[in-house]
Amino acid sequence: MASKRALAADLGVVAGFESPRAALEQYPTPPDLAAHVVHLADLHGDIDGRTVVDLGTGTGMFALAAALRGAARVVGVELDPAPLDTARDNERRVAASAPVHWVRGDATRIPLCPAEPVTLLMNPPFGAQKGNRNADRAFLETAADLATVSYSVHNAGSREFVEAFAGDNGGEVTHAFAAAFEVEAQFDHHTEDVRELDTEVYRIEWT
C-alpha cells in the first residue's frame, strides 16, 4: 500500500473545474483531503477489491484516489457534463489501473443498482448557496439506499444532523473527524485568494 503522502502527490495532477458553477457549489476536493479519506477507507477494508462510487464526482478526485488504491471498479457520477470531460482527462493523467466508469446522472436519483457491496465517497454541496439548503441530505439519502459504507465531507457543526439522519435510516456513524478544506478564489464573491473552510468527515455503516 502506497503511503498517504504518495497518494496525495499522485492526485496533485488532477485538474479542477474549468468553469465552476457557484449554484452547484463546485469546489474541487483538495488532494490532501481526498488522500486522507481514501487512505482511512483503505485501512478499514473499504477500498481494495471493492466497488466504489464517487457521488457528485466533479472532476474525479475521490474516484481517482480510489482507483489508485486498488478498487475493483470505480464509478464517478456527476450531473454537469463539463467536469466529466475533465475527469476523463484526469484519469489519463493519473494512469490508475482500476477501471473507472464516468456516468452523467443526478446524485439524488442515481442510475445505478449494483448487486455487490458498495463503498460510497462524496463531497456533497454544503448548502451555502441560495436554493441549496440541506443539499447534503439528498446525498445521504442516496448513500442509505446504495451503500454498505460511506465517507462524506460536511460543513463543520454537522455532527448532530448526520448522526440523527444515519440513525433514522439504518446507518451508524463509526468515525468522525475534523478536516481543513482549502478553497481557492474562483467566483466573483470570493474576497480572499485562498480560504480554509472547517469541515467534518463521517464514516457511516449502512444496513
Side-chain angles (χ1 to χ4, degrees), residues 44 46 143-144 147-151 166-167 169-175 202-207:
H44 281 88
D46 297 329
T148 53
V149 62
S150 67
Y151 293 78
N169 291 273
E172 179 184 3
V173 174
T174 62
H175 297 76
Y202 294 90
R203 179 184 186 270
I204 304 173
E205 292 184 355
W206 303 96
T207 57

Side-chain angles (χ1 to χ4, degrees), residues 7 11 38 47 52 61-72 74 98 121:
L7 180 58
L11 295 173
V38 171
I47 299 293
V52 177
M61 186 66 80
F62 271 139
L64 295 171
L68 286 167
R69 267 301 174 89
V74 180
L121 308 172

Side-chain angles (χ1 to χ4, degrees), residues 90-108:
N90 285 332
E91 182 184 359
R92 290 188 283 272
R93 289 187 182 99
V94 304
S97 57
V100 184
H101 310 280
W102 305 106
V103 176
R104 185 183 179 190
D106 186 340
T108 65

Side-chain angles (χ1 to χ4, degrees), residues 83-125:
L84 282 178
D85 289 338
T86 304
R88 293 184 184 96
D89 291 338
N90 285 332
E91 182 184 359
R92 290 188 283 272
R93 289 187 182 99
V94 304
S97 57
V100 184
H101 310 280
W102 305 106
V103 176
R104 185 183 179 190
D106 186 340
T108 65
R109 293 188 294 274
I110 192 167
L112 300 174
C113 189
E116 69 276 14
V118 168
T119 296
L120 191 145
L121 308 172
M122 60 182 177
N123 172 24

Side-chain angles (χ1 to χ4, degrees), residues 14-195:
V14 174
F17 298 92
E18 289 188 12
S19 301
R21 297 169 60 183
L24 296 179
E25 298 188 38
Q26 291 180 331
Y27 302 106
T29 304
D32 288 347
L33 177 56
H36 185 68
V37 172
V38 171
H39 178 75
L40 175 66
D42 206 11
L43 290 176
H44 281 88
D46 297 329
I47 299 293
D48 189 33
R50 299 262 300 196
T51 292
V52 177
V53 175
D54 179 5
L55 198 60
T57 190
T59 63
M61 186 66 80
F62 271 139
L64 295 171
L68 286 167
R69 267 301 174 89
R73 68 171 179 140
V74 180
V75 181
V77 180
E78 173 59 43
L79 180 63
D80 188 353
L84 282 178
D85 289 338
T86 304
R88 293 184 184 96
D89 291 338
N90 285 332
E91 182 184 359
R92 290 188 283 272
R93 289 187 182 99
V94 304
S97 57
V100 184
H101 310 280
W102 305 106
V103 176
R104 185 183 179 190
D106 186 340
T108 65
R109 293 188 294 274
I110 192 167
L112 300 174
C113 189
E116 69 276 14
V118 168
T119 296
L120 191 145
L121 308 172
M122 60 182 177
N123 172 24
F126 294 159
Q129 297 297 315
K130 185 177 180 180
N132 270 4
R133 187 175 182 183
N134 298 325
D136 52 352
R137 176 184 292 273
F139 278 66
L140 284 172
E141 288 172 352
T142 298
D145 290 340
L146 185 72
T148 53
V149 62
S150 67
Y151 293 78
S152 53
V153 184
H154 300 264
N155 223 349
S158 297
R159 183 159 193 154
E160 183 177 355
F161 155 66
V162 173
E163 289 184 339
F165 181 92
D168 289 342
N169 291 273
E172 179 184 3
V173 174
T174 62
H175 297 76
F177 60 89
F181 192 117
E182 286 193 352
V183 176
E184 295 184 359
Q186 56 184 17
F187 300 119
D188 291 341
H189 64 271
H190 287 168
T191 58
E192 303 170 81
D193 290 340
V194 179
R195 183 181 180 189

